[in-house]
Amino acid sequence: MYGRKVGLAAATLHALSPAGVFLVAPYSEALFSLFSFAAHVQYVLGSSSTSSPSLSPSPSSSAAKISSSSSSYVPSMRSHLYKLLAGMFFALATLLRSNGVFFGLIFLLDLFEAMMHRSQYRHGWFAHVTSTIVAGALIGLAFVTPQFLAYREYCLDTTTTTTAVTSITTTTNLRPWCTATIPSVYTFVQKHYWNVGFLRYWTLSNVPLFLIAAPMLCMLIAPSVQVILRSYNSYTNPHPPLTSQSSQSKTASTTTSIRSSCTPAARQGILLRLAMPQLLVALLALTTFHVQIVNRISSGYPLWYIFLAVALVGPPEGKETESQGDTDGHRYGQDARETPRT
């Protein structure tokens, strides 16, 4: 029930988000949010479809079997399908707004972890890596395709003049960005027409715009940093295995993890993947973009909604933590499986 409350609160926050009129106008923001949320739903479902770590249900199981370091994973065909669907929806979001390319960080981290922990896969490692690469490639393709079409239109426009002696081909309407090392129409348009660039917006006259954007920047950066720091601490100082102080608590926790197919560590991994694109967009808005647009482009990133929703709803009453070391910073991740409701 707590997860449902968080989902409802997060959905309400989206309806009342600073994006405001952009979400109800015929503009890209609403569709970007739709495809972004649809992609996150598919990704979370795919993560939940991956077989849980092999835990022995016997009360006499050694602590090592509970430890995540001894886990082995078996990605299912369903998880591969969900991941490909997530890549497709992220690609559609990227076609609408170029900042959707940052969602590729999700699959980049998946690929990195698959390479680092190959020994923990009983089988299906190659299929897992392949689906991850394909999903990420879909995002890259969606980002590159509009730029390729622009390059073909403005940089390969040639005319041929034929005379009795020779045929001369000349290039006309060649734009300055065509000769750049990495020709990008996005970069050129934003720099040439909107003066977008690193710290270019940091002028005294723009201070009011920074003040307008400050609350949203805090909402984007704060939960992202908390999640990333928690993930780093979990990696460098893993929680000790569950002890046998309470066999009943241990057995109940293990049973819950198997039934939900999403362990606390898996939920933390999902939250980390939500945090990375959100933090990158916030930092770029602060240093490079026109900072005030963060109030509308933030509408497609779900983590800050979850963060605020948990702050509004409050912690679950009478619910025991599932592992040692659960702290206030992790409360908003307790029900990460409810993320699709946002």
Side-chain angles (χ1 to χ4, degrees):
M1 187 62 183
Y2 171 66
R4 293 178 183 273
K5 289 181 179 178
V6 170
L8 178 60
T12 303
L13 287 170
H14 175 66
L16 302 175
S17 73
V21 68
F22 289 99
L23 294 179
V24 295
Y27 199 65
S28 60
E29 252 36 87
L31 277 178
F32 177 82
S33 297
L34 171 65
F35 290 135
S36 170
F37 294 158
H40 283 93
V41 168
Q42 302 305 315
Y43 183 81
V44 172
L45 290 174
S47 299
S48 301
S49 296
T50 301
S51 297
S52 301
S54 299
L55 301 177
S56 173
S58 172
S60 62
S61 298
S62 63
K65 289 184 179 179
I66 305 293
S67 175
S68 60
S69 61
S70 63
S71 303
S72 59
Y73 299 91
V74 184
S76 65
M77 290 302 298
R78 183 179 297 178
S79 71
H80 301 322
L81 177 60
Y82 280 133
K83 179 167 289 190
L84 292 174
L85 287 173
M88 182 190 71
F89 282 119
F90 279 137
L92 290 173
T94 305
L95 281 174
L96 291 167
R97 295 202 62 88
S98 60
N99 56 284
V101 72
F102 301 139
F103 291 129
L105 291 172
I106 294 174
F107 301 114
L108 187 62
L109 184 57
D110 278 354
L111 185 61
F112 174 77
E113 287 192 348
M115 295 296 182
M116 293 294 293
H117 304 290
R118 182 174 182 176
S119 60
Q120 294 187 13
Y121 289 81
R122 286 192 299 220
H123 57 77
W125 178 85
F126 181 77
H128 174 67
V129 169
T130 301
S131 63
T132 300
I133 292 175
V134 171
L138 289 174
I139 299 175
L141 183 64
F143 179 75
V144 169
T145 298
Q147 301 202 61
F148 170 75
L149 295 176
Y151 185 85
R152 188 177 65 177
E153 176 71 21
Y154 294 102
C155 302
L156 300 180
D157 183 17
T158 60
T159 58
T160 302
T161 303
T162 304
T163 66
V165 178
T166 184
S167 175
I168 301 174
T169 301
T170 59
T171 302
T172 60
N173 300 326
L174 191 65
R175 303 294 288 158
W177 61 274
C178 295
T179 56
T181 304
I182 302 178
S184 172
V185 65
Y186 292 156
T187 303
F188 171 75
V189 167
Q190 292 181 4
K191 181 179 179 180
H192 184 74
Y193 295 103
W194 300 329
N195 196 35
V196 170
F198 184 68
L199 300 185
R200 289 190 175 193
Y201 216 57
W202 285 38
T203 62
L204 188 61
S205 61
N206 287 330
V207 169
L209 297 177
F210 277 90
L211 295 176
I212 291 173
M216 180 50 61
L217 287 173
C218 291
M219 284 298 96
L220 292 175
I221 293 173
S224 300
V225 170
Q226 286 190 34
V227 168
I228 291 172
L229 288 178
R230 181 176 177 83
S231 298
Y232 175 77
N233 291 334
S234 298
Y235 180 78
T236 56
N237 299 298
H239 301 315
L242 297 177
T243 63
S244 57
Q245 281 186 338
S246 174
S247 296
Q248 290 183 345
S249 266
K250 179 175 67 177
T251 304
S253 176
T254 301
T255 304
T256 301
S257 296
I258 293 174
R259 184 172 60 249
S260 67
S261 297
C262 193
T263 64
R267 289 197 296 273
Q268 185 64 27
I270 292 172
L271 289 173
L272 176 62
R273 286 155 176 78
L274 297 183
M276 292 174 63
Q278 177 175 293
L279 179 61
L280 182 56
V281 165
L283 294 178
L284 286 174
L286 180 63
T287 61
T288 306
F289 302 160
H290 289 187
V291 68
Q292 71 273 13
I293 72 169
V294 75
N295 286 321
R296 55 185 175 87
I297 66 175
S298 62
S299 61
Y301 297 85
L303 182 62
W304 71 273
Y305 293 118
I306 300 172
F307 182 85
L308 281 182
V310 172
L312 292 172
V313 173
E317 297 180 3
K319 183 177 180 180
E320 297 180 3
T321 56
E322 292 180 314
S323 64
Q324 291 182 341
D326 280 343
T327 61
D328 258 11
H330 184 53
R331 287 185 308 162
Y332 56 86
Q334 292 278 342
D335 292 279
R337 287 200 67 192
E338 299 299 331
T339 301
R341 290 187 173 85
T342 63

